[in-house]
Amino acid sequence: MTIRWVIPLADSKVALDFDLRSNPPTFNAAEEAINSDNLAFSEPLESIHGGKAIAIYAPVHDPRSERFDGLIGSVLLFDPLLKAILPEGLMAEHDIVVSINGKQAYSSVGDGQSIDPDWTQSRSFMTDNLQWTIDASPKPGLLAFVHSRVLTIIFSAVFVLSALFALIVYYSLMAQKRVLEEREASHRLRVPFDDLPAIAFRVLNQPDWPFEYISEGCEALTGYPRSDFEERRVYWGNLIIPEDRQRIWDEVQQHSGSGDPFNVEYRILTSEGEIRWIQTWCEIIDIVDEDVVYIEGFLVDITKLKQAETLSIKSASLSEAIVEAAIEAVITVNADGTIETFNPAAEKMFGYDRDEIIGQNIEILVPVDQRKHVPRDPREHIETGELRRLQVGEIGYGLRKDGSIFPYELSVNEIKHPTEPMIVFLIRDVSGEVAAEKEAQENRDRLAHVERLNTLGEMASGIAHELNQPLTAISNYMATGRDLVDDLGPETKEILKEAMDEASSESIRAGDIVRRLRQFISKGEVNKQKHSLEKLIEDAATIGLVGAREKGVDWTINIARDCGTVLADNIQIQQVVVNLMRNAIDAMENQPVKHLTISAKSASKDFVEVSIADTGSGISDEIKDQLFTAFSSTKSDGMGLGLTICRTIIEDHNGKITAESGDDGGTIFCFTLMKVAEEISDE
Amino acid sequence: MNNDQLIYIVDDDDAVRRSVKFMLKHTGFQTREMASGDEFLKNVRRNERGCVLLDIRMPGMDGLEVQEHMNKNGIDMPIIILTGHGDIEIAVKAMRAGALNFIEKPYNKDALLRTIDEAFKHLKNNNLKEIAASEANMRLSCLTGRERDVLNGLLQGYPNKSIAFDLGISPRTVEIYRANMMEKLRVKSLAEALRIGFAAEAVETAAE
């Protein structure tokens, strides 16, 4: 352990290479300073210069690593201090003993000797965990001389003296401490100076660039100490990487004689083999008298700058490459809505060349009827949150150059800049997806249609029967009428009229059934319109209840008045109702009570609920879960598609379909449909 | 004409019931209409004998069950079964259970009247109820093996297609055998052919 710095007192000459181990009290104090990481005082010690002293140590840290770096030490010599401060007359007539923590640090009477306790005045104070005690008493000679007459005066003088001494010690200690602290702070400052990016130099104008002078920073930069350069053990020219050497020489020579400052950039290899970018600001100094040419200036390590530059070039070209290669259209627009960039995907998507579109307003890409939604100044969008609203993957429509319109998904990003804000539109053409969704919808509709045909197929005999009834009636009336024609009298005329009326109403009945059947199996476009729920259910019941009466099923249809109008494709909804009714009828086949209840009521502000309840055997929980799954029929002849299609249809209508067990056995199927306000339906 | 002849119309379909009543009333029959088998069985009087037009498909008790009840309770009235298209199998069952005839809806007025007429003849002359087994057997003896096969199929209530399948011949061929069979039996309707067949069967069953 050595002392890094020593603050010498005015006339003390403390050696720098003072070995602490030669003096245990200083060594202990130094250790204490290290361990406590704080200022420490030594016990009183014998100074190598003679006389009593104490040593003070302050720890110093490396400013970068914060690691302990060394100590700053100082020695407080009592003799010169006291002599400098106290009047010599007083010193000559008094004995003074200074103790620290009970140990004698100084005594004017010599070691081990105590002063006359009867006359001693004592003063104590604490500083930095040290208990200082100053004892002062008149010397025996003085006492003998003054006797009692001036005892009081002397006593008072000793009192003053001890107090004065205590104050002096205290203040000089504090001053010492402050100096040390400041010293440490300046040490902390000194280190960064060495790391300053600028390194001053003076170099001879020779290809191997021998330095005449180079400042301290060179070691941190190159790994070689300045002495290596200045003593020509290392040449700067050899550090410059070979590719740059000739160029630097040429550049410097170009400035020869001009006297203007210039700068050059090049790379050097450090002692560790790392490459550093150096920028040199310099000026050629031609000292004619000496016939030498120097270059003077300073070097700066710009490696980090270069790296950042490379990185930003890389990242800029990377993002450019991404934008260029993107599948999505990337369009940037300035605050006025003027298109600033337009990537190849955008060219392909909208059919414009970037040269013709850049500079146009973004509006040109929006279908005419939707332009009002796009303010001329996109900032308004940002401020009103309009753009944010658009960001949520909403489908918008774009206008191509050829006038066609396509659906897209948009995301909008704002590049914040105080004066030139920019908006980036990322546009994805979703026409393929929209078409796929349309196709899937068509497939679902086709399946639903097939299922309707299938339903009717299964119901064929029931339907035939249903049609036979009115046909039989018609035939009866017509045949009777025909036979009455031969015998026309007033009475027979009336009978005939009756027959005609009856036949006509029966044929309407038959026609009605046929109409509903045709409608039911029609393949027509799915077309959601406003329909009276009541009529919808009645129409469906005509088909769904075919054959029900013969099977001994009776039913109740109960439609609440507040159901009103629903938004639905009537055929598909009828299909659902028919399907559920037929399932219910089948489920009740072996039941003693066969009652079907069809009811509809308003379920909420926006939905009506239709329920179809049977008195069948109910559904078990395990079936319930897979009820709406395809191909899981419980019927021997069922495909298991019916309920799946029902669910698809209801979900297409934004409704829900559920199955529950009824309170007294049986099953209740419920589905919801969206209500439409009546007044709108009148528009 | 036959002012005293009574016809029970048992059909759940209001329109059919009213139209049949209309037709028969203006043709000169007395009619009583019932909307279900129960109603019929409740109201029918043994001494008010008539012909019964009985619908097969009805809620509650269907035509066959009504027939069964009548047989059980000794209500001996000729029954004409009214069926829809494609209900031949049920009609055959009804015939086997003793129905006099069946007729498919919608029907020709004359065909219905002929059947009704036959029924009343039957009612008048109770002995005419069954064709003599001996006569039935005699008539059947004229049939070829295939014609007999076709008749047997029909007696089971099978449609032509099933019979064709069972015999390994085409439905068209079945139709030809069926026409030949009816000609040889000297009958005009399938119902008549069935009746002869059932009479012969009864003999066979008794013989066993």
Side-chain angles (χ1 to χ4, degrees):
Chain A
M1 189 194 308
T2 54
I3 304 288
R4 292 288 288 265
W5 297 278
V6 171
I7 306 165
L9 281 175
D11 46 323
S12 78
K13 293 195 170 59
V14 183
L16 252 175
D17 48 2
F18 174 72
D19 186 356
L20 288 169
R21 269 164 300 198
S22 68
N23 193 319
T26 55
F27 182 75
N28 292 341
E31 265 204 325
E32 191 195 329
I34 294 164
N35 293 336
S36 67
D37 198 18
N38 210 336
L39 198 72
F41 296 91
S42 72
E43 287 178 14
L45 49 88
E46 285 299 324
S47 162
I48 48 170
H49 304 284
K52 294 283 183 183
I54 59 167
I56 307 167
Y57 296 102
V60 177
H61 297 89
D62 183 291
R64 279 172 296 188
S65 67
E66 292 290 322
R67 271 172 45 207
F68 174 74
D69 192 36
L71 292 166
I72 298 176
S74 182
V75 176
L76 182 64
L77 291 164
F78 289 108
D79 262 356
L81 179 72
L82 294 177
K83 278 177 188 150
I85 298 165
L86 295 175
E88 245 177 90
L90 266 178
M91 290 293 290
E93 287 169 355
H94 290 84
D95 290 322
I96 289 175
V97 175
V98 179
S99 308
I100 300 170
N101 289 352
K103 287 183 182 166
Q104 202 178 72
Y106 170 83
S107 173
S108 59
V109 291
D111 273 344
Q113 282 187 289
S114 58
I115 52 174
D116 184 347
D118 292 341
W119 293 90
T120 302
Q121 281 290 325
S122 194
R123 283 278 166 277
S124 288
F125 62 94
M126 283 288 289
T127 171
D128 291 286
N129 294 324
L130 295 178
Q131 174 76 37
W132 293 77
T133 312
I134 317 289
D135 296 319
S137 75
K139 285 191 171 176
L142 180 65
L143 282 177
F145 175 71
V146 291
H147 285 282
S148 59
R149 192 171 52 88
V150 283
L151 266 182
T152 322
I153 299 168
I154 292 168
F155 197 84
S156 305
V158 172
F159 178 85
V160 173
L161 180 69
S162 68
L164 187 62
F165 188 80
L167 268 177
I168 287 164
V169 170
Y170 181 78
Y171 279 114
S172 47
L173 275 177
M174 287 304 105
Q176 202 77 335
K177 187 176 162 184
R178 229 176 8 253
V179 168
L180 285 178
E181 281 168 353
E182 275 169 19
R183 216 35 223 230
E184 195 202 3
S186 77
H187 170 73
R188 283 171 189 271
L189 278 177
R190 208 170 66 84
V191 180
F193 284 135
D194 291 344
D195 279 352
L196 263 190
I199 298 158
F201 69 91
R202 171 187 258 207
V203 70
L204 283 166
N205 188 21
Q206 293 169 12
D208 52 0
W209 305 116
F211 279 117
E212 287 284 292
Y213 163 83
I214 187 161
S215 65
E216 275 297 341
C218 67
E219 187 168 351
L221 173 65
T222 64
Y224 301 104
R226 58 192 290 194
S227 53
D228 278 2
F229 293 106
E230 287 172 3
E231 291 161 23
R232 307 284 160 85
R233 286 191 291 271
V234 175
Y235 289 87
W236 192 250
N238 295 338
L239 298 189
I240 297 171
I241 67 163
E243 299 97 293
D244 289 355
R245 283 177 197 164
Q246 187 61 44
R247 178 173 60 82
I248 301 308
W249 176 254
D250 294 345
E251 276 183 42
V252 173
Q253 302 321 309
Q254 273 175 26
H255 292 87
S256 170
S258 74
D260 293 330
F262 61 95
N263 80 72
V264 285
E265 271 178 29
Y266 52 91
R267 288 161 292 173
I268 59 161
L269 269 177
T270 67
S271 65
E272 303 283 321
E274 285 174 46
I275 289 181
R276 299 255 173 182
W277 275 93
I278 304 294
Q279 188 168 46
T280 304
W281 279 281
C282 49
E283 167 172 8
I284 294 178
I285 313 288
D286 200 345
I287 301 171
V288 185
D289 293 353
E290 294 177 19
D291 198 21
V292 279
V293 178
Y294 292 116
I295 293 135
E296 273 184 358
F298 42 91
L299 315 162
V300 183
D301 178 359
I302 55 164
T303 309
K304 290 212 168 104
L305 203 69
K306 277 283 174 190
Q307 279 169 349
E309 195 178 282
T310 316
L311 213 65
S312 78
I313 289 169
K314 265 189 192 162
S315 84
S317 51
L318 182 69
S319 51
E320 198 175 327
I322 290 170
V323 166
E324 288 297 298
I327 302 166
E328 291 169 343
V330 181
I331 301 171
T332 57
V333 164
N334 71 9
D336 307 325
T338 308
I339 295 171
E340 291 195 330
T341 72
F342 204 72
N343 76 339
E347 289 181 317
K348 206 174 146 200
M349 204 175 285
F350 287 94
Y352 287 99
D353 285 341
R354 77 174 80 179
D355 296 338
E356 57 181 329
I357 194 79
I358 287 173
Q360 303 260 28
N361 193 286
I362 186 80
E363 238 188 25
I364 197 171
L365 304 176
V366 179
V368 180
D369 59 333
Q370 294 183 32
R371 285 195 185 159
K372 60 179 177 182
H373 301 306
V374 181
R376 291 202 148 258
D377 183 351
R379 265 177 307 189
E380 285 175 32
H381 251 333
I382 294 165
E383 279 155 17
T384 58
E386 277 286 301
L387 275 185
R388 285 192 176 67
R389 192 180 60 74
L390 269 176
Q391 287 178 26
V392 212
E394 207 174 284
I395 289 187
Y397 292 92
L399 178 64
R400 294 199 186 94
K401 190 184 180 184
D402 64 10
S404 58
I405 289 172
F406 68 98
Y408 62 69
E409 228 172 63
L410 178 70
S411 97
V412 184
N413 287 296
E414 180 194 357
I415 298 175
K416 288 201 173 102
H417 189 278
T419 57
E420 292 167 41
M422 212 201 277
I423 293 126
V424 183
F425 292 94
L426 279 174
I427 299 168
R428 197 161 64 87
D429 186 341
V430 293
S431 44
E433 283 150 57
V434 168
E437 170 54 28
K438 199 177 163 214
E439 198 187 316
Q441 181 62 55
E442 279 169 6
N443 280 337
R444 287 202 291 277
D445 294 344
R446 219 169 292 148
L447 182 63
H449 177 239
V450 167
E451 207 271 340
R452 287 201 296 277
L453 291 180
N454 188 45
T455 303
L456 283 201
E458 284 170 11
M459 294 166 66
S461 86
I463 291 164
H465 180 75
E466 202 69 19
L467 275 176
N468 259 335
Q469 308 289 19
L471 292 180
T472 304
I474 292 164
S475 155
N476 287 343
Y477 288 121
M478 298 317 277
T480 312
R482 182 200 59 211
D483 292 346
L484 288 172
V485 169
D486 295 336
D487 180 26
L488 268 186
E491 197 187 331
T492 44
K493 266 189 188 165
E494 281 309 306
I495 297 169
L496 205 53
K497 265 190 202 158
E498 191 191 340
M500 295 298 129
D501 283 346
E502 292 285 354
S504 145
S505 73
E506 282 308 303
S507 52
I508 287 167
R509 173 184 162 195
D512 227 29
I513 294 169
V514 171
R515 177 182 61 77
R516 283 169 182 167
L517 286 174
R518 280 178 59 95
Q519 193 185 31
F520 189 69
I521 58 170
S522 73
K523 208 174 165 181
E525 285 278 298
V526 172
N527 186 5
K528 285 179 197 164
Q529 286 185 342
K530 291 141 198 158
H531 292 283
S532 148
L533 185 67
E534 186 169 6
K535 184 161 185 314
L536 246 172
I537 291 177
E538 277 174 4
D539 277 2
T542 311
I543 300 167
L545 294 172
V546 158
R549 207 166 32 154
E550 286 82 354
K551 286 178 177 161
V553 174
D554 64 354
W555 60 81
T556 321
I557 298 180
N558 189 0
I559 293 160
R561 266 158 200 252
D562 59 357
C563 291
T565 317
V566 292
L567 184 68
D569 177 81
N570 57 339
I571 297 167
Q572 290 204 332
I573 295 307
Q574 281 179 35
Q575 177 172 6
V576 172
V577 176
V578 167
N579 214 312
L580 295 179
M581 282 176 171
R582 284 175 44 76
N583 281 347
I585 291 167
D586 287 349
M588 294 189 289
E589 195 173 348
N590 299 314
Q591 298 294 316
V593 179
K594 302 178 186 179
H595 191 87
L596 186 62
T597 311
I598 300 121
S599 41
K601 63 176 200 296
S602 179
S604 69
K605 193 166 72 69
D606 301 316
F607 286 95
V608 287
E609 186 184 77
V610 179
S611 64
I612 287 152
D614 63 42
T615 55
S617 49
I619 40 166
S620 63
D621 285 343
E622 42 299 5
I623 300 174
K624 200 155 113 183
D625 293 336
Q626 40 173 315
L627 212 51
F628 297 100
T629 318
F631 307 116
S632 65
S633 178
T634 55
K635 285 189 253 171
S636 52
D637 55 348
M639 280 259 282
L641 279 178
L643 284 177
T644 315
I645 290 165
C646 286
R647 192 183 65 180
T648 314
I649 290 172
I650 294 301
E651 285 174 359
D652 262 1
H653 283 76
N654 302 318
K656 271 185 194 155
I657 184 164
T658 56
E660 293 296 327
S661 292
D663 290 339
D664 37 359
T667 313
I668 306 169
F669 279 91
C670 286
F671 65 86
T672 53
L673 287 175
M674 275 172 76
K675 267 190 209 171
V676 198
E678 297 274 359
E679 54 271 21
I680 295 170
S681 70
D682 292 336
E683 278 177 16
Chain B
M1 40 203 250
N2 312 299
N3 279 343
D4 56 340
Q5 287 179 325
L6 176 63
I7 299 176
Y8 292 96
I9 305 164
V10 187
D11 197 311
D12 63 309
D13 190 282
D14 191 49
V16 173
R17 208 169 55 243
R18 288 197 303 119
S19 69
V20 174
K21 176 195 168 180
F22 180 88
M23 181 173 74
L24 294 180
K25 196 176 89 186
H26 293 293
T27 314
F29 291 100
Q30 296 288 319
T31 58
R32 282 232 185 116
E33 307 89 48
M34 283 91 172
S36 73
D38 286 318
E39 197 186 328
F40 168 70
L41 291 172
K42 226 177 266 172
N43 295 309
V44 68
R45 297 278 172 273
R46 242 174 264 269
N47 53 356
E48 292 177 334
R49 297 185 78 204
C51 166
V52 184
L53 289 183
L54 184 59
D55 187 24
I56 279 279
R57 291 200 197 197
M58 282 188 296
M61 205 181 279
D62 69 15
L64 289 179
E65 286 171 309
V66 172
Q67 210 180 344
E68 209 177 292
H69 271 265
M70 287 170 70
N71 287 344
K72 243 188 236 167
N73 299 331
I75 302 169
D76 181 20
M77 296 185 201
I79 297 167
I80 299 166
I81 296 290
L82 295 179
T83 74
H85 178 74
D87 284 342
I88 299 298
E89 201 180 333
I90 304 173
V92 171
K93 269 189 199 162
M95 292 282 294
R96 195 185 285 277
L100 180 75
N101 212 330
F102 69 88
I103 192 156
E104 266 183 81
K105 286 194 238 177
Y107 40 75
N108 187 297
K109 183 189 173 191
D110 295 336
L112 180 68
L113 290 183
R114 255 203 321 276
T115 314
I116 290 175
D117 202 34
E118 193 189 339
F120 279 112
K121 268 186 209 154
H122 206 79
L123 195 62
K124 224 188 229 168
N125 178 7
N126 263 341
N127 301 336
L128 208 92
K129 188 182 175 188
E130 295 304 329
I131 301 168
S134 56
E135 193 199 331
N137 269 326
M138 190 193 73
R139 287 205 211 173
L140 289 180
S141 63
C142 310
L143 301 181
T144 65
R146 271 289 188 244
E147 286 161 2
R148 187 65 205 258
D149 288 339
V150 169
L151 178 61
N152 284 342
L154 291 169
L155 288 172
Q156 301 302 313
Y158 299 149
N160 287 358
K161 268 186 203 165
S162 308
I163 296 168
F165 182 81
D166 289 344
L167 298 179
I169 55 181
S170 78
R172 178 77 194 125
T173 317
V174 171
E175 275 171 36
I176 293 164
Y177 283 130
R178 184 172 156 172
N180 290 345
M181 175 268 289
M182 284 174 73
E183 202 187 315
K184 284 185 183 167
L185 293 180
R186 284 172 280 135
V187 294
K188 287 203 176 75
S189 70
L190 176 62
E192 283 176 83
L194 292 175
R195 241 180 4 243
I196 293 168
F198 289 142
E201 256 181 21
V203 174
E204 277 163 26
T205 315
E208 281 164 17

